[in-house]
Amino acid sequence: QSVLTQPPSVSGAPGQRVTISCTGSSSNIGAPYDVHWYQQLPGTAPKFLIYGNNNRPSGVPERFSGSKSGTSASLAITGLQPEDEADYYCQSYDSLSGWVFGGGTKLTVL
Amino acid sequence: QAQLVESGGGVVQPGGSLRLSCAASGFDFSIYGMHWARQAPGKGLEWVAFIRYDGGNRRYANSVKGRFTISRDNSKNTLYLQMSSLTSEDTALYYCAKDWPQPLNDAFDVWGQGTRVTVSS
């Protein structure tokens, strides 16, 4: 059981918008610790995608955005492309457990 | 360009020990904290351990506390993870990751490709 809860899977057609939720609690996201997001393409290491809830590292397309409210955060991907098919993980800090990840969400591009 | 390369993985018997290494290049290793994270087969990411840039502060996940030890040699730009009393629950791909300090929760901005550890008799 992950400290942060994500839906196991989401899907969307090319060009559509999808969102991935990440639900925590008052000891992590609501503490309030920031949320970061990582993308893991099949068979590869995680890649840094979003930091500080809604900021993109250099090189990450504007199609990716993040938000946070209360004890939850979300990752949005607009203009979905086939190469976006991957696993996505949220990450925060928990005052009881240290650094924590969500269980991951598999994005399927239909 | 920052790069991390893990090594030292392999097959080990339950109760055994193993030491992982992570060679860093392309950035000033001595001024950044470092993490180990792992991913069991078909599962999600799990943070394992953190060490401050000078080795002065070390943190561990509850699942490995007392069994794993994180350390670093800044003169060699290398991070280590000494693992002991291994069980099948420790079977995973182990990643090292560079800490990126942030005001409200540090991020993991650079990841290695991982080294696989299999605990099996």
Side-chain angles (χ1 to χ4, degrees), chain A residues 34 36 38 40 45 91 93, chain B residues 39 47 59 95 104-105 108 112:
Chain A
D34 278 348
H36 313 305
Y38 303 86
Q40 188 174 33
Q91 178 253 313
Y93 185 86
Chain B
Q39 188 169 32
W47 169 75
R59 303 278 308 279
Y95 295 103
L104 293 174
N105 172 28
F108 303 67

Side-chain angles (χ1 to χ4, degrees), chain A:
Chain A
Q1 297 282 16
S2 300
V3 173
L4 305 179
T5 300
Q6 298 180 233
S9 64
V10 298
S11 63
Q16 286 189 334
R17 178 181 186 268
V18 297
T19 61
I20 298 172
S21 62
C22 174
T23 303
S25 68
S26 60
S27 65
N28 41 70
I29 296 176
Y33 290 109
D34 278 348
V35 177
H36 313 305
W37 292 88
Y38 303 86
Q39 176 193 58
Q40 188 174 33
L41 297 170
T44 70
K47 172 192 169 185
F48 191 33
L49 190 67
I50 294 286
Y51 70 94
N53 308 317
N54 56 10
N55 300 287
R56 284 174 286 104
S58 174
V60 173
E62 293 182 7
R63 305 185 293 104
F64 294 90
S65 63
S67 64
K68 174 190 161 182
S69 179
T71 58
S72 295
S74 289
L75 173 71
I77 309 172
T78 58
L80 205 57
Q81 298 183 4
E83 57 264 35
D84 297 334
E85 190 159 288
D87 293 327
Y88 292 84
Y89 293 90
C90 61
Q91 178 253 313
S92 187
Y93 185 86
D94 186 273
S95 56
L96 302 175
S97 308
W99 288 270
V100 290
F101 289 94
T105 298
K106 181 177 182 58
L107 168 62
T108 300
V109 181
L110 302 171

Side-chain angles (χ1 to χ4, degrees), chain B residues 5 30 46 52 75 113:
Chain B
V5 179
S30 67
E46 178 189 16
R52 200 173 68 182
S75 69
Q113 288 304 302

Side-chain angles (χ1 to χ4, degrees), chain B residues 8-27:
Chain B
V11 180
V12 59
Q13 292 189 337
S17 300
L18 204 60
R19 189 178 83 155
L20 307 182
S21 300
C22 170
S25 61
F27 66 99

